């Protein structure tokens, strides 16, 4: 069986985020939605699937992701796995990649691991590379037009000034462009079947991870403070006179190279 | 499994009450639960786990024509039909959709149309354009179909009509929301259209035009032809002089703006041009153009005939507020619904038949 894994992340609805008194993002109360690039990665996996392959979705997050994971089962994934544990809260990309890598090993390995190019909240794009490093695999980022044959994956890698056509040996980790694929709609029968399916729940114990390697204590980066942006305010005096204001705007525009 | 996007639309209503006064279903039934904002509230409660989604709630979600009047006027820009469609999907998945709705879905599965009947064939083998009739016109409005095809013939347009015209997905999409089953219908329809190799598709029913132009591209269904509404095409034939009309006066009439055409494509002029060419002096109802009040849809008429007949009567009341005694429509679904409630002394006119009878 050819096994494809898709790593997906639930991110806060970007128009709904709030911050606590320390300026830290409040994830628990936020409405969550799947990161758009990860859904593209799932569609890429479903496009590659044959009767001899399976598609598994894997995520790390709160227990409330069980139903949203079932939605991905309805969209076509064969199985869904949720790593959920309070000690994982506050994980940076390094700690997250280690947990995902532990899960990949626990689950017996995969032939192809797909991720979205980057998440809309953290926006780092680091997970694919870090996950590949933890698993000692090749990683190619920012891709589209994936095809698999003879234990190899052919793809287009989107670069700033062109498209690189590559063929990689499997297993490997590949990150997918957000708009390269649109995730298919679920069917009524598929939705009914998905509700019957079980989402496999894993915690840090299942993955043999010690608490100090997880969450904030296992993270190499610390978010000290997030400053919410003030909209509609800029430094500088307000100008009541239209002509003076217009002249100032024109001067400012000319300064922008 | 209502999506976050749908919940966003359901929960952000600021209770301005505007849509309450516009929803044709609420206006006729007078029930608060029939307002779009009430439907949003219900779904919001369900998503928070405060209420279980039951048959009564599902019934409410079907008491909507998906006419977009609420979208057109929602002060906050929210689109109730997005969550209403998803709520219908939930109802079907959970087996709590009304029995009448399930019967129509079964009809589609068995015969490809909501009526569960063998669709009459209007097949012809022209080479210039493809005419897509749609299931309502084919099954219920034979007169309109024949007049339309004759108009094309009189204009010298060589039109093809498919022998087994596949469903566009519009009906199924209204009944169960936009799910894979609808996408599969869309794919089959796209393939059938593309196979003809014709570069213009003239679509008689605005419900089909809407799904072809709005949803097909999202689903990767690329029709390799220009998709044009039947009204716009006939208006072009009139303008180009390919259809010449006699100079008669058939009295004062008002045109019913079909809601999907008016609100999705802002298409109001062609129906008026056709009515004028047919010899009518055109007056306007208050609820016109983008503000047009729906008179019902064929699919809603099939599962809630009583309410849709009331809604159609409501549209006739709009006409009664004018001097006109004649209502003109070019949409097969509107014709079907309006014909359920024609008041005494009033007349419903199919624009194509009227135009045909006024050709030189
Ligand atoms: S789409 Fe039309 S019928 Fe449905 S809630 Fe909105 S206004 Fe009412
Ligand atoms: S118009 Fe929009 S904001 Fe106003 S009550 Fe209706 S849904 Fe709510």
């Amino acid at each position: 069986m050819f096994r494809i894994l898709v790593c997906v992340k639930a991110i806060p609805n970007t128009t709904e985020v709030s911050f606590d008194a320390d300026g830290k993002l409040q994830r628990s109360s936020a409405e969550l939605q799947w990161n758009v690039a990860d859904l593209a990665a799932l569609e890429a996996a479903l496009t590659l699937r044959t009767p001899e392959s399976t598609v598994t979705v894997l995520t790390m997050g709160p227990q409330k992701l069980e139903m949203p994971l079932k939605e991905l089962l309805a969209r076509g994934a064969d199985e869904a796995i949720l790593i959920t544990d309070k000690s994982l809260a506050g994980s940076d990309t390094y700690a997250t990649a280690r947990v995902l890598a532990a899960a990949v090993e626990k689950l017996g390995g995969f032939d192809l691991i797909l991720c979205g190019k980057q998440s809309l909240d953290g926006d780092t794009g680091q997970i694919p590379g870090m996950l590949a490093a933890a698993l000692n695999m090749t990683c190619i980022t920012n891709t589209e037009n994936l095809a698999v044959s003879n234990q190899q994956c052919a793809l287009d890698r989107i670069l700033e000034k062109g498209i690189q056509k590559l063929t990689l040996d499997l297993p490997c980790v590949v990150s997918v462009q957000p708009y390269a694929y649109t995730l298919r709609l679920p069917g009524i029968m598929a939705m009914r079947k998905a509700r019957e399916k079980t989402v496999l729940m894993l915690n840090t114990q299942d993955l043999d991870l010690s608490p100090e390697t997880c969450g904030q204590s296992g993270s190499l980066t610390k978010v000290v403070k997030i400053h919410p942006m003030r909209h509609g305010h800029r430094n500088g005096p307000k100008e009541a006179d239209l002509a003076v204001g217009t002249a100032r705007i024109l001067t400012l525009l000319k300064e922008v190279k | 499994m209502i999506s976050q996007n749908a919940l966003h639309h359901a929960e952000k209503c600021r209770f301005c009450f505007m849509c309450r006064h516009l929803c044709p279903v609420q206006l006729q039934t007078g029930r608060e639960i029939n307002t779009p904002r009430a439907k949003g509230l219900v779904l919001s409660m369900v998503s928070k786990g405060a209420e279980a989604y039951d048959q009564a709630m599902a019934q409410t979600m079907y008491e909507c024509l998906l006419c977009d009047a609420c979208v057109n006027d929602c002060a906050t820009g929210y689109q109730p039909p997005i969550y209403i469609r998803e709520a219908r999907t939930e109802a079907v998945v959970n087996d709590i959709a009304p029995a009448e709705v399930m019967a129509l879905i079964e009809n589609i599965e068995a015969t490809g149309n909501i009526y569960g009947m063998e669709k009459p064939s209007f097949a012809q083998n022209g080479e210039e354009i493809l005419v897509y009739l749609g299931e309502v016109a084919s099954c219920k409005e034979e007169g309109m179909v024949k007049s339309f095809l004759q108009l094309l013939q009189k204009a010298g347009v060589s039109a093809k009509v498919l022998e087994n015209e596949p469903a566009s997905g519009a009906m199924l999409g209204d009944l169960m929301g936009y799910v894979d089953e609808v996408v599969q219908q869309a794919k089959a329809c796209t393939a059938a259209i593309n196979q003809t190799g014709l570069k213009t598709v003239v679509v008689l029913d605005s419900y089909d035009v809407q799904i072809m132009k709005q949803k097909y591209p999202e689903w990767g269904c690329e029709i390799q032809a220009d998709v044009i509404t039947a009204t716009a095409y006939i208006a072009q034939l009139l303008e180009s002089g390919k259809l010449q009309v006699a100079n008669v006066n058939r009295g004062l009439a008002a045109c019913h703006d079909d809601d999907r055409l008016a609100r999705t494509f802002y298409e109001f002029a062609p129906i008026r041009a056709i009515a004028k060419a047919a010899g009518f002096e055109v007056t306007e109802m208050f609820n016109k153009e983008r503000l047009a009040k729906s008179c019902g849809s064929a699919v809603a008429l099939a599962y809630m005939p009583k309410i849709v007949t009331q809604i159609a009567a409501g549209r006739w009341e709009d006409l009664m507020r004018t001097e006109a005694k004649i209502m003109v429509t070019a949409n097969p679904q509107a014709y079907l619904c309006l014909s359920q409630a024609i008041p005494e002394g009033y007349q419903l006119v199919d624009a194509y038949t009227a135009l045909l009878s006024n050709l030189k």
Side-chain angles (χ1 to χ4, degrees):
Chain A
M1 204 37 101
F2 186 81
R3 301 181 75 206
I4 307 173
L5 178 73
V6 185
C7 299
V8 292
K9 183 182 184 187
I11 59 168
N13 183 334
T14 42
T15 57
E16 299 295 320
V17 290
S18 56
F19 301 91
D20 65 15
D22 298 331
K24 288 200 180 126
L25 185 67
Q26 289 200 302
R27 282 178 191 273
S28 52
S29 58
E31 281 178 13
L32 296 175
Q33 59 188 23
W34 294 118
N35 182 48
V36 65
D38 303 349
L39 297 182
L42 175 55
E43 181 58 33
L46 296 173
T47 310
L48 294 174
R49 185 172 56 184
T50 65
E52 286 77 44
S53 52
T54 59
V55 173
T56 303
V57 283
L58 171 68
T59 194
M60 188 174 115
Q63 209 148 15
K64 68 177 177 183
L65 290 178
E66 188 180 358
M67 275 312 276
L69 275 171
K70 287 195 177 188
E71 192 195 323
L72 300 186
L73 290 171
R75 302 272 187 143
D78 298 292
E79 52 177 3
I81 298 158
L82 171 61
I83 309 167
T84 185
D85 200 313
K86 283 211 164 65
S87 65
L88 295 172
S91 297
D92 70 353
T93 49
Y94 174 74
T96 303
R98 280 174 54 152
V99 174
L100 295 177
V104 169
E105 274 160 8
K106 182 86 184 170
L107 296 163
F110 289 85
D111 300 284
L112 176 62
I113 300 176
L114 301 181
C115 305
K117 181 192 165 200
Q118 68 203 107
S119 65
L120 278 173
D121 59 345
D123 216 16
T124 66
Q126 290 167 353
I127 290 288
M130 286 181 169
L131 177 59
L135 293 166
N136 201 19
M137 284 183 191
T138 311
C139 177
I140 298 293
T141 56
N142 209 14
T143 71
E144 59 185 36
N145 292 332
L146 277 70
V148 166
S149 65
N150 302 326
Q151 281 302 303
Q152 287 193 316
C153 179
L155 47 80
D156 290 350
R157 182 190 199 190
I158 311 303
L159 301 171
E160 213 165 296
K161 290 187 176 164
I163 296 171
Q164 206 173 26
K165 293 203 170 289
L166 296 171
T167 305
L168 330 170
D169 287 335
L170 297 173
C172 61
V173 179
V174 171
S175 84
V176 178
Q177 279 267 61
Y179 301 108
Y181 298 88
T182 305
L183 183 57
R184 62 196 62 188
L185 288 171
I188 296 289
M189 286 317 291
M191 281 189 251
R192 285 185 182 152
K193 278 190 197 147
R195 277 164 203 208
E196 306 293 305
K197 285 190 179 174
T198 316
V199 171
L200 176 63
M201 303 279 188
L202 296 174
N203 58 27
T204 49
Q205 270 187 340
D206 297 323
L207 299 177
D208 302 321
L209 292 166
S210 58
E212 61 275 10
T213 62
C214 299
Q216 280 193 352
S217 44
S219 295
L220 299 181
T221 47
K222 301 273 178 274
V223 178
V224 182
K225 191 169 173 74
I226 293 175
H227 299 272
M229 237 162 64
R230 289 194 307 155
H231 293 286
H233 292 271
R234 290 288 183 272
N235 291 331
K238 279 190 184 156
E239 187 51 69
D241 186 302
L242 181 65
V244 179
T246 309
R248 234 180 75 211
I249 290 169
L250 288 174
T251 315
L252 286 170
L253 286 174
K254 276 180 201 155
E255 280 170 11
V256 179
K257 294 276 187 301
Chain B
M1 279 195 252
I2 301 291
S3 71
Q4 283 296 333
N5 178 42
L7 277 179
H8 181 69
H9 285 272
E11 288 180 344
K12 299 300 181 285
C13 163
R14 63 181 194 195
F15 299 102
C16 73
F17 291 88
M18 183 56 85
C19 58
R20 190 176 189 279
H21 309 298
L22 293 162
C23 174
V25 183
Q26 139 72 21
L27 283 174
Q28 288 307 316
T29 64
R31 296 174 66 214
E32 190 61 27
I33 192 71
N34 283 144
T35 60
R37 64 198 182 88
K39 290 177 170 70
L41 258 181
V42 163
L43 272 194
S44 174
M45 287 189 299
V46 169
S47 77
K48 290 183 168 72
E51 288 287 337
Y53 189 40
D54 60 16
Q55 266 172 325
M57 288 180 192
Q59 173 80 39
T60 304
M61 297 303 166
Y62 281 94
E63 285 169 6
C64 161
L65 305 167
L66 300 169
C67 75
D68 273 0
C70 47
V71 176
N72 192 49
D73 271 83
C74 176
T76 9
Y78 295 114
Q79 300 180 32
I82 290 180
Y83 56 78
I84 293 170
R85 267 186 216 274
E86 287 199 18
R88 290 181 181 189
T89 305
E90 273 300 293
V92 175
V93 171
N94 292 325
D95 267 333
I96 52 170
E100 296 82 356
V101 167
M102 292 313 294
L104 298 185
I105 292 173
E106 279 161 26
N107 282 347
I108 292 176
E109 280 164 5
T111 62
N113 63 72
I114 54 170
Y115 303 109
M117 62 188 271
E118 195 181 323
K119 201 160 64 168
S121 173
F122 295 93
Q124 50 182 57
N125 250 331
E127 289 161 352
E128 207 175 323
I129 62 164
L130 175 68
V131 174
Y132 184 89
L133 298 171
E135 63 195 88
V136 177
S138 300
C139 295
K140 296 284 173 186
E141 296 304 339
E142 189 186 339
M144 187 183 276
V145 170
K146 285 188 170 161
S147 297
F148 180 70
L149 293 175
Q150 276 180 51
L151 280 174
L152 296 178
Q153 203 184 7
K154 298 264 181 194
V157 177
S158 170
K160 182 181 182 71
V161 178
L162 292 171
E163 174 69 48
N164 290 310
E165 189 183 81
S168 69
M171 293 284 163
L172 204 55
D174 278 8
L175 287 167
M176 53 162 70
Y178 293 135
V179 288
D180 187 51
E181 286 80 351
V182 180
V183 176
Q184 295 314 317
Q185 282 199 333
K187 283 185 176 161
C189 187
T190 306
I193 291 173
N194 288 346
Q195 212 175 9
T196 67
L198 294 171
K199 292 291 163 233
T200 304
V201 190
V202 178
V203 185
L204 191 57
D205 191 328
S206 64
Y207 286 64
D208 298 316
V209 183
Q210 189 192 37
I211 196 167
M212 285 176 187
K213 286 193 149 222
Q214 273 200 328
K215 303 309 289 186
Y216 280 25
E218 275 179 36
W219 302 333
C221 302
E222 196 195 333
I223 295 181
Q224 287 151 1
D226 287 336
V227 176
I228 177 166
T229 63
T231 32
Y233 193 75
I234 294 293
Q236 276 176 19
L237 294 178
L238 284 167
E239 210 179 303
S240 65
K242 286 188 177 165
L243 288 174
Q244 300 273 342
V245 293
N247 195 9
V248 294
N249 188 342
R250 302 167 90 170
L252 193 63
C255 295
H256 168 71
D257 282 300
D258 152 41
D259 44 83
R260 297 209 179 185
L261 218 50
R263 282 191 272 273
T264 310
F265 303 110
Y266 302 170
E267 193 202 286
F268 333 112
I271 177 67
R272 287 164 177 76
I274 296 170
K276 281 178 190 162
F280 295 107
E281 191 189 329
V282 174
T283 187
E284 297 293 346
M285 289 183 275
F286 176 67
N287 290 319
K288 59 167 183 160
E289 301 181 346
R290 282 179 63 191
L291 288 174
K293 199 200 293 169
S294 175
C295 62
S297 68
V299 76
L301 178 67
Y303 68 72
M304 50 173 193
K306 224 171 122 189
I307 293 181
V308 173
T309 304
Q310 276 179 41
I311 290 166
R315 191 54 172 153
W316 281 109
E317 281 164 19
D318 290 346
L319 184 76
M320 288 172 186
R321 290 185 196 106
T322 73
E323 305 270 287
K325 299 271 182 207
I326 302 167
M327 180 111 75
V328 181
T329 180
N331 181 271
Q333 303 208 26
Y335 193 90
L336 181 65
C337 295
L338 287 167
S339 65
Q340 309 299 310
I342 305 172
E344 223 179 294
Y346 286 79
Q347 199 191 340
L348 176 62
V349 167
D350 137 28
Y352 303 122
T353 306
L355 179 60
L356 188 65
S357 66
N358 199 35
L359 289 186
K360 265 186 190 163

